Amino acid sequence: MQQAENTQRPARLSVGVVGAGRVGSVLGAALERAGHRVVAASAVSEHSRGRAARRLPSARIAEPAEVVAESDLVLLTVPDDALEPLVRGLVETGADFTGTFLVHASGAHGYHALAPATAAGALPLALHPVMTFTGRDEDLDRLASCSFGVTAPDALRPIAEALVVEMGAEPVWIAEEHRTLYHAALTGGANHLVTLVAESASLLSAAGVEHPSRLLGPLLGAALDNGLRLGMDGLSGPVLRGDTETVSAHIDELRRHSPESVPAYVALARLTADRALAAGLLKPHDAERLLDVLQA
């Protein structure tokens, strides 16, 4: 195995991918585009095998332990909850990690999730692409406009950041102890946003709107831009105005059409009121009336 070098730029590496799904196939292709060579990949499902064949044509399909044996850098791109059991299992099978860069792409974990392999000689890196992956071909191009949450031992930080730059993205350092908070923030922003948009579209359809996306696109695009640029100063709507009767009517109507969404609406309205009050955007007496209504 190629040993780690004290350099800002990693040498050309033989890359292996354990879990050639939506993320693994894209990161492998990005590393190959940067000049590395993907030599082996594990892929269980038919979809994963198809992605590996399409995006990693030079890779031999192999068992995970074989992927490790053939690679200087191994991507472990499996679901969050499967990462640590996978690492333990590979160590127990006697996989040789000496001098191997072991990279996972989980946002929820830092490099300590790789501890058993690190004790066996692996060089651990946590490189999390801050991007959604749909399995479509545009996923690879989107890497050029995204950031990676990077966590690694201090000695490996330059190499971790160099790998991200080689893939065309921007490295952002995340301390090991902040990794879960970092991931919670991203999950709440991105995953829950999709649910909120889908719920809004469903309610608009119930209200007789034929093409909900035409209404939501400009509105949500402006709201996102305002939130990113202005923070709470970009807020608008009935909570900001203290329109208690409007909020109450919303809750009553949601109980009729989408009762499962009421707790989320109430919780988000309460959080919005709390933040608006703290920012001096909502008057205390309006906040008090709103919070009375939001006891639902």
Side-chain angles (χ1 to χ4, degrees), residues 20-260:
R22 293 182 179 185
V23 178
S25 62
V26 169
L27 296 187
L31 287 170
E32 196 149 53
R33 190 164 62 178
H36 304 288
R37 188 168 66 95
V38 180
V39 296
S42 70
V44 177
S45 71
E46 183 178 342
H47 287 302
S48 292
R49 288 177 176 270
R51 290 191 186 99
R54 187 169 66 255
R55 293 178 178 159
L56 311 172
S58 63
R60 180 177 77 85
I61 301 300
E63 293 298 315
E66 296 176 308
V67 174
V68 173
E70 295 180 23
S71 307
D72 301 316
L73 182 152
V74 178
L75 291 170
L76 300 181
T77 43
V78 296
D80 292 349
D81 290 352
L83 178 61
E84 292 181 282
L86 171 63
V87 173
R88 288 195 301 269
L90 286 170
V91 170
E92 289 168 2
T93 63
D96 183 8
F97 287 104
T98 306
T100 302
F101 292 107
L102 195 60
V103 182
H104 76 71
S106 166
H109 297 290
Y111 66 87
H112 284 173
L114 305 175
T118 303
L123 306 172
L125 309 174
L127 307 180
H128 172 243
V130 186
M131 180 54 62
T132 60
F133 291 83
T134 64
R136 300 175 186 273
D137 290 338
E138 62 263 24
D139 288 348
L140 181 58
D141 294 330
R142 284 176 172 170
L143 285 184
S145 63
C146 83
S147 299
F148 274 61
V150 174
T151 306
D154 288 343
L156 297 178
R157 178 172 177 174
I159 292 175
E161 293 179 339
L163 285 168
V164 171
V165 171
E166 284 191 334
M167 287 187 280
E170 178 184 359
V172 176
W173 183 253
I174 308 296
E176 178 80 17
E177 64 269 22
H178 293 153
R179 195 77 182 194
T180 301
L181 180 61
Y182 150 84
H183 193 240
L186 296 177
T187 299
N191 299 168
H192 299 166
L193 176 62
V194 172
T195 303
L196 289 172
V197 172
E199 177 67 8
S200 293
S202 177
L203 293 171
L204 286 171
S205 294
V209 176
E210 187 173 355
H211 299 291
S213 61
R214 294 181 184 175
L215 277 71
L216 291 172
L219 173 66
L220 299 184
L224 178 60
D225 179 65
N226 289 341
L228 292 174
R229 289 188 303 108
L230 305 173
M232 287 304 294
D233 285 335
L235 182 64
S236 64
V239 171
L240 176 67
R241 295 190 297 266
D243 289 339
T244 303
E245 292 183 8
T246 298
V247 172
S248 180
H250 287 175
I251 295 171
D252 289 342
E253 193 70 2
L254 288 173
R255 283 199 180 101
R256 285 190 285 272
H257 291 279
S258 182
E260 67 278 5

